Amino acid sequence: MTTTSTDRPLGITGFGAWLPRRRMERKVIATAHKWFNPALMAGAGGTRSHCSWDEDSVTMAVAAARAALASGDPGKVAALSLASTTLPFLDRQNATIVAEASGLRPRIRTQDVGGSLRAGTGALIAAFQDGALEGGDASLVVAADARRARPGSPDELAFGHGAAAILLGRERPIATLLGWTSESDDFVDHYRSEGRDFDYRWEERWARDEGPAGRLPAAVAALLDRLSLTPDGIDRIALPAASAREAQRIAKSCGLDPARVADPLDQACGHLGAAHAPLLLAHCLEQARPGETILLAGLGQGFDLLVLQATEALADYRSAGAVGAALGAGRSDENYLRFLAFEGTLELETGIRAEADLKTAHSVAYRSHGALTGLQAGRCTACGTVQFPPERVCVNRNCGAVDSQEPYPLAGRTARVVSLTADRLAYYPDPPVRYGLVEFEEGGRLLVEFVEWEGAELKVGARAGVAFRIKDRDEQRGFRRYFWKAVPA
């Protein structure tokens, strides 16, 4: 009897995470508003992650997706779901951008999922349910959020920015889904309406007492009973709550052992919105042992509950985008005014140099989207020369072959700095702008901006990688252009 791919169980085969390097000290935020709201000092511990000016939910999703795909075959991915409450485009599929920048083939199904902080777990359940994937055996669920908060609000302290990606497939899964349940409940403890930048939040004590803790116990008990599990049979509990104390309180109300609640990471990076539950799942998988069970919850206008079990394959798995590494890669930031400027809350006087029209010619951008979004160079099949951008004629003066180039992706490859310039005359949101040439080890040169080199020596010969970032923003037309930038390798 021949075994088909659909006869094998669908499980988690990989994961990845991304947190912006910048970590704002909460004490700095609370101190800045102490004159008006001294109560904020009670939440002044730890740090929160926040995007630089050239990061958003799309760029973070690409970073997490590429990390998850490093352990699998991108060619087998047949579907990608992008979950977020802060997608930059309302009528342009953001998941398509993420798929192309992640190196996935065009013939896949992509979708945006939003509207709730449990969009990440909802997309994960849907991916598990989608058993027969046309044209491939794998699917990718990516969740990313970059929620903004009103200055001086508790949300400004509590929120964080980041992304997590979960890769599903049938080749040596590291965790399988034992069961799940969902409940829809229009519990409005907070919301953000169309055209509004910030959430409106109702009274915190009411939300705590009447929220998930009131309805979760019955659902947890029913799910465990259906799976023939007892509360002691759950080894790790991932609850995307606002704090460790709150997560432990919810777990206790469900009859679960509070000591088994995973660190909600509120002190290290803040709450990542729709990405927080997938991030906690990835973090649990990093620490779990084969055979252990994980209870994952997604909260927001109801809840999702998933019970997963780690397999023997987890012992050999190593993630290219580990949560622990992402947490440890942060850089403390104490410049609150820069934080506000990057959030878009503080409008700076940028001068006349910032008045250049940034209109994008979409026809040209579409014709070159493989190079711009996918960072596809051309490799001459006659002599092997790599060139960017790809052209019809090989640039090797000893070759000059016509129409001989095949696509050659540069993303994920290592390069070295060939030249660099620092410029304070041109407008740049985070001056000075640093740009120059990098040369990839396998061939090909690229003119790029250099970002995130604080703490690393930027010099000729330095090793560099590339990251997908915002190139510029056309505020007049509400459009963002994306390209790749050089980061320390």
Side-chain angles (χ1 to χ4, degrees):
M1 179 178 177
T2 301
T3 301
T4 64
S5 62
T6 54
D7 292 330
R8 290 171 289 169
L10 186 68
I12 296 175
T13 58
F15 58 84
W18 172 258
L19 296 173
R21 307 292 189 194
R22 295 185 183 276
R23 309 293 159 81
M24 192 67 199
E25 299 286 341
R26 290 195 178 97
K27 184 177 180 181
V28 173
I29 300 175
T31 301
H33 297 287
K34 186 178 179 180
W35 67 276
F36 183 75
N37 186 4
L40 289 177
M41 295 301 296
T47 62
R48 54 151 297 178
S49 56
H50 75 94
C51 290
S52 182
W53 75 269
D54 61 352
E55 294 179 284
D56 64 6
S57 294
V58 166
T59 65
M60 293 190 297
V62 170
R66 294 191 69 92
L69 290 166
S71 60
D73 182 1
K76 290 187 176 181
V77 176
L80 183 147
S81 297
L82 174 60
S84 178
T85 65
T86 56
L87 294 174
F89 293 100
L90 299 180
D91 189 2
R92 179 194 182 194
Q93 196 177 71
N94 302 268
T96 302
I97 307 172
V98 174
E100 187 168 295
S102 300
L104 302 182
R105 55 196 172 91
R107 196 174 181 182
I108 64 170
R109 185 180 69 249
T110 54
Q111 64 175 349
D112 292 344
V113 182
S116 169
L117 295 187
R118 64 182 174 110
T121 51
L124 185 59
I125 290 174
F128 269 113
Q129 287 184 299
D130 193 6
L133 296 168
E134 181 182 356
D137 289 332
S139 62
L140 185 62
V141 176
V142 192
D145 250 338
R147 294 184 292 169
R148 297 175 59 194
R150 191 180 300 278
S153 68
D155 285 346
E156 190 180 29
L157 298 174
F159 286 178
H161 300 159
I166 307 295
L167 181 64
L168 303 185
R170 294 184 170 88
E171 295 291 337
R172 288 182 55 81
I174 59 176
T176 56
L177 179 66
L178 300 182
W180 64 274
T181 189
S182 291
E183 183 171 318
S184 178
D185 180 26
D186 192 25
F187 179 74
V188 187
D189 59 330
H190 76 281
Y191 63 90
R192 186 173 71 252
S193 300
E194 182 180 5
R196 298 296 182 101
D197 293 327
F198 311 118
D199 288 7
Y200 180 82
R201 192 169 296 277
W202 199 240
E203 205 274 324
E204 292 183 21
R205 185 168 55 183
W206 175 81
R208 182 184 66 241
D209 295 342
E210 298 292 332
R215 305 185 68 125
L216 273 177
V220 169
L223 178 58
L224 295 185
D225 182 65
R226 175 156 56 90
L227 299 177
S228 300
L229 290 173
T230 65
D232 288 339
I234 299 298
D235 298 298
R236 298 178 185 272
I237 306 163
L239 289 169
S243 66
R245 177 180 295 181
E246 178 66 9
Q248 291 168 358
R249 186 183 73 86
I250 295 175
K252 186 176 182 180
S253 72
C254 296
L256 301 170
D257 185 356
R260 301 183 183 184
V261 173
D263 181 358
L265 305 179
D266 57 306
Q267 292 298 296
C269 62
H271 195 288
L272 306 189
H276 206 67
L279 180 80
L280 294 182
L281 173 58
H283 200 214
C284 283
L285 288 172
E286 279 184 357
Q287 301 171 329
R289 295 186 296 270
E292 288 189 344
T293 54
I294 301 170
L295 175 65
L296 172 67
L299 309 176
Q301 288 70 61
F303 52 81
D304 300 318
L305 294 172
L306 301 89
V307 177
L308 304 107
Q309 186 171 39
T311 70
E312 293 297 327
L314 181 63
D316 301 322
Y317 177 78
R318 296 293 182 271
S319 172
V323 179
L327 291 169
R331 297 191 306 270
S332 178
D333 187 357
E334 298 185 0
N335 192 325
Y336 182 54
L337 290 180
R338 180 170 57 198
F339 166 81
L340 292 178
F342 288 174
E343 284 271 283
T345 308
L346 177 66
E347 185 176 355
L348 298 174
E349 171 54 57
T350 55
I352 59 175
R353 290 186 175 89
E355 296 176 2
D357 193 343
L358 299 176
K359 183 178 181 178
T360 298
H362 297 291
S363 54
V364 177
Y366 176 72
R367 286 195 291 269
S368 302
H369 68 96
L372 298 175
T373 307
L375 201 63
Q376 294 276 359
R379 181 180 180 276
C380 179
T381 57
C383 70
T385 298
V386 178
Q387 63 188 75
F388 185 92
E391 301 286 353
R392 291 190 60 194
V393 181
C394 177
V395 295
N396 186 341
R397 62 183 181 181
N398 296 319
C399 177
V402 179
D403 295 333
S404 64
Q405 295 184 29
E406 61 183 2
Y408 187 83
L410 294 177
R413 302 181 187 275
T414 303
R416 293 193 180 275
V417 177
V418 175
S419 66
L420 59 98
T421 298
D423 186 355
R424 283 191 175 272
L425 293 179
Y427 165 72
Y428 194 67
D430 188 17
V433 55
R434 295 179 174 89
Y435 57 89
L437 281 174
V438 296
E439 184 172 45
F440 291 87
E441 292 179 352
E442 299 84 355
R445 287 190 170 193
L446 184 67
L447 179 63
V448 288
E449 294 174 23
F450 296 100
V451 295
E452 294 188 357
W453 286 82
E454 298 90 343
E457 188 176 7
L458 177 55
K459 63 179 182 179
V460 173
R463 288 168 54 86
V466 289
F468 191 68
R469 295 296 175 88
I470 297 172
K471 174 66 175 174
D472 52 47
R473 304 169 188 252
D474 181 355
E475 301 294 351
Q476 182 178 346
R477 301 167 188 86
F479 190 77
R480 301 183 186 190
R481 286 199 304 164
Y482 296 94
F483 192 53
W484 298 79
K485 300 182 181 182
V487 296

PDB file of all heavy atoms in Angstrom, residues 378-391:
ATOM      1  N   GLY A 378      20.304  38.002 -11.153  1.00  0.00           N
ATOM      2  CA  GLY A 378      20.417  37.124 -12.310  1.00  0.00           C
ATOM      3  C   GLY A 378      21.762  36.417 -12.306  1.00  0.00           C
ATOM      4  O   GLY A 378      22.788  37.025 -11.981  1.00  0.00           O
ATOM      5  N   ARG A 379      21.740  35.143 -12.635  1.00  0.00           N
ATOM      6  CA  ARG A 379      22.986  34.373 -12.720  1.00  0.00           C
ATOM      7  C   ARG A 379      23.135  33.841 -14.137  1.00  0.00           C
ATOM      8  O   ARG A 379      22.242  33.165 -14.658  1.00  0.00           O
ATOM      9  CB  ARG A 379      22.984  33.219 -11.730  1.00  0.00           C
ATOM     10  CG  ARG A 379      24.256  32.378 -11.743  1.00  0.00           C
ATOM     11  CD  ARG A 379      24.162  31.256 -10.720  1.00  0.00           C
ATOM     12  NE  ARG A 379      25.365  30.432 -10.725  1.00  0.00           N
ATOM     13  CZ  ARG A 379      25.582  29.418 -11.561  1.00  0.00           C
ATOM     14  NH1 ARG A 379      24.662  29.103 -12.476  1.00  0.00           N
ATOM     15  NH2 ARG A 379      26.706  28.732 -11.491  1.00  0.00           N
ATOM     16  N   CYS A 380      24.233  34.213 -14.763  1.00  0.00           N
ATOM     17  CA  CYS A 380      24.460  33.810 -16.145  1.00  0.00           C
ATOM     18  C   CYS A 380      24.722  32.307 -16.217  1.00  0.00           C
ATOM     19  O   CYS A 380      25.636  31.798 -15.556  1.00  0.00           O
ATOM     20  CB  CYS A 380      25.651  34.584 -16.727  1.00  0.00           C
ATOM     21  SG  CYS A 380      26.028  34.141 -18.441  1.00  0.00           S
ATOM     22  N   THR A 381      23.946  31.614 -17.006  1.00  0.00           N
ATOM     23  CA  THR A 381      24.124  30.164 -17.153  1.00  0.00           C
ATOM     24  C   THR A 381      25.331  29.822 -18.013  1.00  0.00           C
ATOM     25  O   THR A 381      25.771  28.670 -18.034  1.00  0.00           O
ATOM     26  CB  THR A 381      22.866  29.540 -17.757  1.00  0.00           C
ATOM     27  OG1 THR A 381      22.573  30.176 -19.007  1.00  0.00           O
ATOM     28  CG2 THR A 381      21.672  29.700 -16.829  1.00  0.00           C
ATOM     29  N   ALA A 382      25.873  30.835 -18.718  1.00  0.00           N
ATOM     30  CA  ALA A 382      27.044  30.581 -19.572  1.00  0.00           C
ATOM     31  C   ALA A 382      28.350  30.683 -18.796  1.00  0.00           C
ATOM     32  O   ALA A 382      29.264  29.866 -18.977  1.00  0.00           O
ATOM     33  CB  ALA A 382      27.050  31.564 -20.743  1.00  0.00           C
ATOM     34  N   CYS A 383      28.456  31.701 -17.909  1.00  0.00           N
ATOM     35  CA  CYS A 383      29.728  31.901 -17.201  1.00  0.00           C
ATOM     36  C   CYS A 383      29.597  31.908 -15.689  1.00  0.00           C
ATOM     37  O   CYS A 383      30.603  31.940 -14.977  1.00  0.00           O
ATOM     38  CB  CYS A 383      30.379  33.204 -17.667  1.00  0.00           C
ATOM     39  SG  CYS A 383      29.493  34.697 -17.125  1.00  0.00           S
ATOM     40  N   GLY A 384      28.360  31.930 -15.163  1.00  0.00           N
ATOM     41  CA  GLY A 384      28.157  31.898 -13.725  1.00  0.00           C
ATOM     42  C   GLY A 384      28.178  33.238 -13.043  1.00  0.00           C
ATOM     43  O   GLY A 384      28.048  33.316 -11.818  1.00  0.00           O
ATOM     44  N   THR A 385      28.330  34.339 -13.784  1.00  0.00           N
ATOM     45  CA  THR A 385      28.375  35.670 -13.181  1.00  0.00           C
ATOM     46  C   THR A 385      27.015  36.038 -12.587  1.00  0.00           C
ATOM     47  O   THR A 385      25.970  35.852 -13.220  1.00  0.00           O
ATOM     48  CB  THR A 385      28.782  36.722 -14.223  1.00  0.00           C
ATOM     49  OG1 THR A 385      30.091  36.414 -14.704  1.00  0.00           O
ATOM     50  CG2 THR A 385      28.786  38.122 -13.621  1.00  0.00           C
ATOM     51  N   VAL A 386      27.031  36.571 -11.367  1.00  0.00           N
ATOM     52  CA  VAL A 386      25.811  37.035 -10.698  1.00  0.00           C
ATOM     53  C   VAL A 386      25.754  38.548 -10.791  1.00  0.00           C
ATOM     54  O   VAL A 386      26.749  39.234 -10.529  1.00  0.00           O
ATOM     55  CB  VAL A 386      25.786  36.595  -9.216  1.00  0.00           C
ATOM     56  CG1 VAL A 386      24.540  37.130  -8.530  1.00  0.00           C
ATOM     57  CG2 VAL A 386      25.852  35.079  -9.111  1.00  0.00           C
ATOM     58  N   GLN A 387      24.594  39.083 -11.161  1.00  0.00           N
ATOM     59  CA  GLN A 387      24.459  40.533 -11.257  1.00  0.00           C
ATOM     60  C   GLN A 387      23.089  40.985 -10.765  1.00  0.00           C
ATOM     61  O   GLN A 387      22.095  40.271 -10.867  1.00  0.00           O
ATOM     62  CB  GLN A 387      24.658  40.998 -12.704  1.00  0.00           C
ATOM     63  CG  GLN A 387      23.631  40.466 -13.686  1.00  0.00           C
ATOM     64  CD  GLN A 387      23.987  40.795 -15.117  1.00  0.00           C
ATOM     65  OE1 GLN A 387      24.883  40.183 -15.708  1.00  0.00           O
ATOM     66  NE2 GLN A 387      23.287  41.779 -15.693  1.00  0.00           N
ATOM     67  N   PHE A 388      23.103  42.178 -10.164  1.00  0.00           N
ATOM     68  CA  PHE A 388      21.861  42.793  -9.700  1.00  0.00           C
ATOM     69  C   PHE A 388      21.860  44.251 -10.128  1.00  0.00           C
ATOM     70  O   PHE A 388      22.835  44.965  -9.901  1.00  0.00           O
ATOM     71  CB  PHE A 388      21.729  42.708  -8.174  1.00  0.00           C
ATOM     72  CG  PHE A 388      20.400  43.217  -7.678  1.00  0.00           C
ATOM     73  CD1 PHE A 388      19.340  42.341  -7.522  1.00  0.00           C
ATOM     74  CD2 PHE A 388      20.207  44.557  -7.395  1.00  0.00           C
ATOM     75  CE1 PHE A 388      18.101  42.801  -7.081  1.00  0.00           C
ATOM     76  CE2 PHE A 388      18.975  45.028  -6.959  1.00  0.00           C
ATOM     77  CZ  PHE A 388      17.928  44.139  -6.801  1.00  0.00           C
ATOM     78  N   PRO A 389      20.747  44.722 -10.730  1.00  0.00           N
ATOM     79  CA  PRO A 389      19.555  43.938 -11.074  1.00  0.00           C
ATOM     80  C   PRO A 389      19.819  43.030 -12.280  1.00  0.00           C
ATOM     81  O   PRO A 389      20.770  43.256 -13.039  1.00  0.00           O
ATOM     82  CB  PRO A 389      18.532  45.017 -11.406  1.00  0.00           C
ATOM     83  CG  PRO A 389      19.346  46.160 -11.913  1.00  0.00           C
ATOM     84  CD  PRO A 389      20.600  46.145 -11.105  1.00  0.00           C
ATOM     85  N   PRO A 390      18.978  42.005 -12.456  1.00  0.00           N
ATOM     86  CA  PRO A 390      19.165  41.132 -13.616  1.00  0.00           C
ATOM     87  C   PRO A 390      18.883  41.881 -14.916  1.00  0.00           C
ATOM     88  O   PRO A 390      17.992  42.728 -14.978  1.00  0.00           O
ATOM     89  CB  PRO A 390      18.137  40.016 -13.383  1.00  0.00           C
ATOM     90  CG  PRO A 390      17.113  40.621 -12.485  1.00  0.00           C
ATOM     91  CD  PRO A 390      17.826  41.604 -11.624  1.00  0.00           C
ATOM     92  N   GLU A 391      19.664  41.613 -15.923  1.00  0.00           N
ATOM     93  CA  GLU A 391      19.499  42.246 -17.235  1.00  0.00           C
ATOM     94  C   GLU A 391      19.559  41.169 -18.320  1.00  0.00           C
ATOM     95  O   GLU A 391      19.931  40.013 -18.068  1.00  0.00           O
ATOM     96  CB  GLU A 391      20.600  43.285 -17.472  1.00  0.00           C
ATOM     97  CG  GLU A 391      20.660  44.404 -16.454  1.00  0.00           C
ATOM     98  CD  GLU A 391      19.527  45.408 -16.617  1.00  0.00           C
ATOM     99  OE1 GLU A 391      18.780  45.299 -17.613  1.00  0.00           O
ATOM    100  OE2 GLU A 391      19.397  46.290 -15.741  1.00  0.00           O
TER     101      GLU A 391
END
